[in-house]
Amino acid sequence: MSAPSDRWAPGIEELVLGRASALAIAGLGANVDRWEPSAVQHIESRYEQTLRGVSSTNTSVWIRHVLAFAGSDHRVMFCCVGCYGAPQCENVVRSATLHGADAGVPPPSLLVRAVLLAAQKPYETSGLTAIVVLFAITVLLRFRRRVPARSFFP
Protein backbone atom coordinates (compact mmCIF):
# COMPACT_ATOMS: atom_id res chain seq x y z
CA MET A 1 0.00 0.00 0.00
CA SER A 2 1.24 3.53 -0.66
CA ALA A 3 0.00 7.03 0.10
CA PRO A 4 1.21 10.65 -0.18
CA SER A 5 3.41 11.89 2.65
CA ASP A 6 2.45 15.58 2.63
CA ARG A 7 1.04 15.37 6.18
CA TRP A 8 3.94 13.40 7.64
CA ALA A 9 5.19 14.57 11.02
CA PRO A 10 7.82 13.17 13.38
CA GLY A 11 6.19 10.83 15.89
CA ILE A 12 3.20 9.92 13.74
CA GLU A 13 4.70 6.52 12.90
CA GLU A 14 3.43 5.06 16.18
CA LEU A 15 -0.13 6.12 15.34
CA VAL A 16 0.12 4.68 11.82
CA LEU A 17 1.55 1.38 13.01
CA GLY A 18 -0.98 1.17 15.84
CA ARG A 19 -3.87 1.53 13.39
CA ALA A 20 -2.23 -0.96 11.04
CA SER A 21 -1.93 -3.42 13.92
CA ALA A 22 -5.65 -3.18 14.65
CA LEU A 23 -6.48 -3.84 10.98
CA ALA A 24 -4.00 -6.72 10.72
CA ILE A 25 -5.28 -8.37 13.90
CA ALA A 26 -8.84 -8.17 12.63
CA GLY A 27 -7.76 -9.51 9.23
CA LEU A 28 -5.96 -12.55 10.66
CA GLY A 29 -9.06 -13.81 12.40
CA ALA A 30 -7.03 -15.61 15.06
CA ASN A 31 -8.44 -15.88 18.55
CA VAL A 32 -5.53 -14.25 20.40
CA ASP A 33 -5.49 -13.93 24.18
CA ARG A 34 -2.67 -11.38 24.38
CA TRP A 35 -0.40 -9.42 22.06
CA GLU A 36 3.22 -8.46 22.72
CA PRO A 37 4.22 -5.61 20.41
CA SER A 38 7.87 -4.68 20.04
CA ALA A 39 8.89 -1.05 20.20
CA VAL A 40 8.74 0.85 16.91
CA GLN A 41 12.27 0.80 15.50
CA HIS A 42 13.66 3.47 13.18
CA ILE A 43 16.17 1.61 11.02
CA GLU A 44 17.88 3.70 8.32
CA SER A 45 14.97 5.23 6.37
CA ARG A 46 12.17 2.94 7.55
CA TYR A 47 10.11 2.11 10.61
CA GLU A 48 9.49 -1.47 11.72
CA GLN A 49 7.41 -3.20 14.37
CA THR A 50 6.74 -6.86 15.15
CA LEU A 51 3.81 -8.19 17.16
CA ARG A 52 3.65 -11.63 18.70
CA GLY A 53 0.42 -13.12 19.91
CA VAL A 54 -0.54 -16.34 21.60
CA SER A 55 -3.89 -17.80 20.61
CA SER A 56 -6.26 -19.69 22.87
CA THR A 57 -4.95 -22.96 21.36
CA ASN A 58 -1.37 -21.97 22.35
CA THR A 59 -0.44 -21.28 18.71
CA SER A 60 1.94 -18.42 17.92
CA VAL A 61 0.68 -15.58 15.76
CA TRP A 62 3.15 -13.10 14.23
CA ILE A 63 2.62 -9.74 12.51
CA ARG A 64 5.32 -7.45 11.11
CA HIS A 65 4.89 -3.93 9.81
CA VAL A 66 7.40 -2.09 7.65
CA LEU A 67 6.84 1.57 6.80
CA ALA A 68 9.21 3.33 4.39
CA PHE A 69 9.33 6.14 1.81
CA ALA A 70 9.98 5.92 -1.92
CA GLY A 71 10.46 8.25 -4.86
CA SER A 72 11.25 11.92 -5.13
CA ASP A 73 7.87 12.78 -3.58
CA HIS A 74 8.59 10.52 -0.57
CA ARG A 75 5.45 8.40 -0.99
CA VAL A 76 4.68 6.34 2.10
CA MET A 77 5.09 2.63 1.38
CA PHE A 78 3.62 0.16 3.83
CA CYS A 79 3.91 -3.61 4.10
CA CYS A 80 2.23 -5.85 6.64
CA VAL A 81 2.90 -9.58 6.92
CA GLY A 82 0.98 -11.91 9.21
CA CYS A 83 1.40 -15.59 9.95
CA TYR A 84 -0.72 -17.92 12.02
CA GLY A 85 -0.25 -21.55 12.94
CA ALA A 86 2.89 -22.51 10.98
CA PRO A 87 6.04 -23.47 12.91
CA GLN A 88 8.27 -21.19 10.78
CA CYS A 89 6.06 -18.10 11.19
CA GLU A 90 8.60 -16.16 13.21
CA ASN A 91 11.31 -16.56 10.56
CA VAL A 92 8.95 -15.70 7.70
CA VAL A 93 7.61 -12.59 9.41
CA ARG A 94 10.98 -11.33 10.63
CA SER A 95 12.45 -11.57 7.12
CA ALA A 96 9.76 -9.31 5.57
CA THR A 97 11.00 -5.96 4.30
CA LEU A 98 10.42 -3.44 1.51
CA HIS A 99 12.95 -3.32 -1.31
CA GLY A 100 13.61 -0.12 -3.22
CA ALA A 101 11.91 2.14 -0.69
CA ASP A 102 14.86 4.24 0.46
CA ALA A 103 13.95 7.86 -0.17
CA GLY A 104 14.38 8.77 3.49
CA VAL A 105 11.92 10.31 5.88
CA PRO A 106 10.21 13.34 4.26
CA PRO A 107 10.60 16.75 5.81
CA PRO A 108 7.42 18.01 7.49
CA SER A 109 5.34 20.52 5.51
CA LEU A 110 5.19 24.17 6.52
CA LEU A 111 1.81 23.67 8.19
CA VAL A 112 3.05 20.66 10.18
CA ARG A 113 6.18 22.55 11.23
CA ALA A 114 4.03 25.48 12.41
CA VAL A 115 1.82 23.16 14.47
CA LEU A 116 4.87 21.42 15.97
CA LEU A 117 6.45 24.77 16.82
CA ALA A 118 3.23 25.93 18.49
CA ALA A 119 3.14 22.71 20.53
CA GLN A 120 6.80 23.02 21.56
CA LYS A 121 6.75 26.76 22.32
CA PRO A 122 3.17 27.73 23.20
CA TYR A 123 3.99 31.01 25.01
CA GLU A 124 6.25 32.32 22.26
CA THR A 125 3.69 31.35 19.60
CA SER A 126 0.88 33.05 21.53
CA GLY A 127 2.94 36.22 21.91
CA LEU A 128 3.86 36.30 18.22
CA THR A 129 0.23 35.70 17.22
CA ALA A 130 -0.92 38.55 19.48
CA ILE A 131 1.66 40.91 17.95
CA VAL A 132 0.62 39.99 14.40
CA VAL A 133 -3.09 40.49 15.24
CA LEU A 134 -2.41 43.88 16.89
CA PHE A 135 -0.36 44.96 13.86
CA ALA A 136 -3.17 43.91 11.48
CA ILE A 137 -5.76 45.81 13.54
CA THR A 138 -3.51 48.89 13.59
CA VAL A 139 -3.09 48.78 9.81
CA LEU A 140 -6.83 48.32 9.26
CA LEU A 141 -7.69 51.22 11.53
CA ARG A 142 -5.04 53.46 10.02
CA PHE A 143 -6.15 52.93 6.42
CA ARG A 144 -9.87 52.54 6.89
CA ARG A 145 -12.15 54.54 4.69
CA ARG A 146 -13.44 57.58 6.47
CA VAL A 147 -17.11 58.38 5.97
CA PRO A 148 -18.19 61.96 6.74
CA ALA A 149 -20.56 62.21 9.64
CA ARG A 150 -24.17 63.01 8.74
CA SER A 151 -26.41 65.04 10.91
CA PHE A 152 -29.84 63.66 11.63
CA PHE A 153 -31.18 67.10 12.40
CA PRO A 154 -32.02 69.50 9.57
Side-chain angles (χ1 to χ4, degrees), residues 5-140:
S5 65
D6 58 340
R7 292 187 194 102
W8 184 261
I12 200 170
E13 63 276 356
E14 292 201 21
L15 295 173
V16 171
L17 294 177
R19 181 66 181 140
S21 296
L23 293 172
I25 289 168
L28 273 177
N31 188 12
V32 175
D33 294 332
R34 71 179 189 285
W35 286 99
E36 299 169 359
S38 69
V40 175
Q41 297 176 343
H42 185 195
I43 301 169
E44 296 175 8
S45 62
R46 66 185 184 276
Y47 296 94
E48 299 180 4
Q49 183 179 34
T50 304
L51 289 86
R52 179 181 183 272
V54 178
S55 72
S56 56
T57 60
N58 212 19
T59 305
S60 287
V61 182
W62 290 85
I63 297 174
R64 181 173 179 81
H65 304 299
V66 180
L67 182 130
F69 305 91
S72 60
D73 59 347
H74 296 276
R75 286 194 63 81
V76 178
M77 305 299 289
F78 184 77
C79 177
C80 179
V81 176
C83 185
Y84 174 60
Q88 67 273 21
C89 276
E90 181 179 2
N91 293 335
V92 169
V93 169
R94 288 197 185 272
S95 66
T97 189
L98 285 171
H99 293 283
D102 60 355
V105 179
S109 67
L110 181 61
L111 176 63
V112 171
R113 286 194 307 248
V115 169
L116 291 173
L117 179 66
Q120 292 172 350
K121 300 183 181 263
Y123 296 116
E124 292 87 344
T125 305
S126 299
L128 182 61
T129 303
I131 290 170
V132 168
V133 168
L134 286 174
F135 179 75
I137 290 172
T138 303
V139 168
L140 287 173

